[in-house]
Amino acid sequence: MCAALLALLATLFVSAPAASAAPAASAARADVVPAATLTEVTGFGANPSGLQMYVYVPESLTADPAVLVAVHYCTGSGPAMHSGTEYASLADRYGFVVIYPSVTRASKCFDVSSPQALTRGGGSDPVGIKSMVDWAVAAYGADTSRIYATGISSGAMMTNVLLGVYPDVFSAGAAFAGVPFGCFATSDGSEWNSACAGGTIDRTPQEWGDLVRAAYPGYSGPRPRMQLWHGTEDDVLRYPNFAEEIEQWTNVLGLGQTPAVTDSPRAGWTRTRYGGTGDQAPVEAVSLQGIGHNLYSYGVMGPLAITYFGLDADGPAPQPPAGPCKVGVTVNAWNTGLTASLTITNTGTTTVNGWQLGFTLPAGQTLTNGWNATYGPSSGAVTAVNASSNGTIAPNASVGIGYQATHTGNGAAPGAFTLNGSACTLG
């Protein structure tokens, strides 16, 4: 891969300050992995391409927890994916385990192009990631019917690959700015496929589906669901790849090319669902008008992926004790709508630098607007992320935010709030 491309990708994915990882833990015993701390695990099993494994386990881990594999972009790393996405805080809320694979080869890109990577048990990155999943299942008694993958750019391509080569392992995936399984295939050892990146590879749905089926010959079991995201102005992995991904996964799942429903959950978004109309449709595809390759929006898209996986379906995991924060809320409701004004107070002794306020909207409420924060998704479990002007809250200081919503009869306020994963008192 050329140096110019790597430099471009490095500038595209600037995230929060890198998280510090705990010292490496032996895979022999799960209890040496500290809770609520990003930890490197070594000796986790077969790992032919020398990947590193980082794991995040929340303090309030549910019984038989789900496992989410969060795969980084080119030039990235497991710790960078941890600090630049909200999956750890979502794990705190819902009690699942997060695995962050990390590439050690010079490009820091995952292998999504070699014949080994595109074949089940072929001896490249997917094998190591499968070993990480197996380790988590054994260490934490994880539910093997709730294993999920998500990724950005190179990680999105690997998400497509993982669901193709291990359909019996993963239940669903969410790919942010990726390409279809097999699109990046090369036979000369190159990591880069210019034709695919440029969006010039056009196959029929059957041809795309056959590539997936050939990765695990003879497999006749259920196939994972897929959520796809792409910006119309993507100049790294061009937008035509989005349509090819849709064709591939609808074919793999035995669906037609006509959406069951089309809507626009946010301005500039077009969402199509295939094979169903609900939040866990077999294939869900979100097109972002005017957005480039750097499409991932912290605090907005991660929660929507979690909803697609169904990890929030049973409600939040037990919350931690009330932290040094207080939230006051005032709601003004009318027949079909409401506004809510929230006051977040730092009742601790240290300054909060960057915050995320988590809460769950009552059933039937849908956000239509908000101020002084970025909100997402529009219903269910919502995360409000600070604006650039109010990200710091000194001890005993407060920040005011608010939102507007529609409702179908229940105009109540949310019943609980968390600030950066810690439960707040109400007042």
Side-chain angles (χ1 to χ4, degrees):
M1 185 175 300
C2 66
L5 175 67
L6 294 179
L8 172 62
L9 291 174
T11 61
L12 286 173
F13 295 103
V14 177
S15 62
S20 58
S26 167
R29 294 184 53 193
D31 59 4
V32 303
V33 179
T37 303
L38 183 67
T39 304
E40 183 179 1
V41 173
T42 60
F44 49 84
N47 184 25
S49 55
L51 298 178
Q52 291 175 289
M53 174 185 179
Y54 293 87
V55 64
Y56 182 87
V57 180
E59 291 183 353
S60 298
L61 187 66
T62 60
D64 305 318
V67 175
L68 175 63
V69 178
V71 194
H72 68 74
Y73 41 88
C74 281
T75 76
S77 67
M81 190 70 176
H82 169 260
S83 63
T85 61
E86 64 275 67
Y87 295 116
S89 62
L90 290 166
D92 289 334
R93 187 181 306 174
Y94 298 115
F96 55 88
V97 175
V98 189
I99 295 171
Y100 300 95
S102 196
V103 170
T104 57
R105 64 178 60 90
S107 67
K108 302 300 183 183
C109 297
F110 285 91
D111 177 12
V112 296
S113 56
S114 75
Q116 292 77 21
L118 300 175
T119 303
R120 180 183 177 85
S124 189
D125 291 352
V127 172
I129 295 173
K130 168 65 162 53
S131 295
M132 297 177 196
V133 171
D134 291 342
W135 178 89
V137 169
Y140 297 105
D143 183 350
T144 56
S145 69
R146 296 193 300 151
I147 310 295
Y148 306 96
T150 186
I152 302 170
S153 190
S154 178
M157 293 191 277
M158 177 52 71
T159 298
N160 277 267
V161 169
L162 290 172
L163 268 60
V165 298
Y166 292 116
D168 53 336
V169 174
F170 293 93
S171 295
F176 294 87
V179 303
F181 176 97
C183 183
F184 242 62
T186 60
S187 57
D188 60 0
S190 171
E191 296 180 45
W192 191 251
N193 185 317
S194 296
C196 179
T200 63
I201 297 180
D202 182 7
R203 294 188 171 104
T204 67
Q206 182 69 36
E207 288 170 337
W208 282 123
D210 287 345
L211 286 177
V212 172
R213 287 181 284 269
Y216 187 4
Y219 178 73
S220 59
R223 295 279 179 173
R225 296 178 293 111
M226 179 60 94
Q227 183 186 65
L228 304 165
W229 299 75
H230 221 105
T232 61
E233 301 304 313
D234 193 324
D235 59 355
V236 177
L237 302 173
R238 298 284 181 175
Y239 185 66
N241 283 299
F242 180 58
E244 303 301 306
E245 284 182 295
I246 294 172
E247 290 181 358
Q248 181 171 71
W249 291 104
T250 51
N251 180 267
V252 167
L253 290 164
L255 308 173
Q257 299 298 300
T258 302
V261 65
T262 300
D263 64 2
S264 182
R266 298 175 73 92
W269 292 16
T270 300
R271 179 172 62 188
T272 50
R273 287 170 167 168
Y274 302 82
T277 60
D279 288 338
Q280 284 87 48
V283 175
E284 179 176 275
V286 186
S287 172
L288 287 75
Q289 182 64 40
I291 302 299
H293 193 60
N294 188 20
L295 62 78
Y296 189 87
S297 179
Y298 189 102
V300 177
M301 296 175 178
L304 289 174
I306 294 304
T307 296
Y308 183 71
F309 297 151
L311 290 177
D312 59 352
D314 298 325
Q319 293 292 330
C325 54
K326 181 175 68 174
V327 176
V329 55
T330 301
V331 173
N332 177 25
W334 57 94
N335 53 350
T336 60
L338 62 88
T339 59
S341 297
L342 311 178
T343 301
I344 308 167
T345 301
N346 177 8
T347 58
T349 59
T350 59
T351 298
V352 174
N353 290 304
W355 52 263
Q356 299 176 57
L357 186 72
F359 57 93
T360 300
L361 290 173
Q365 291 188 15
T366 302
L367 286 175
T368 57
N369 190 23
W371 54 92
N372 294 342
T374 300
Y375 299 82
S378 59
S379 61
V382 175
T383 300
V385 180
N386 65 269
S388 59
S389 59
N390 63 6
T392 300
I393 312 177
N396 299 315
S398 300
V399 167
I401 66 172
Y403 60 85
Q404 185 172 357
T406 59
H407 67 84
T408 57
N410 184 357
F417 296 88
T418 62
L419 187 67
N420 292 348
S422 295
C424 300
T425 56
L426 296 175

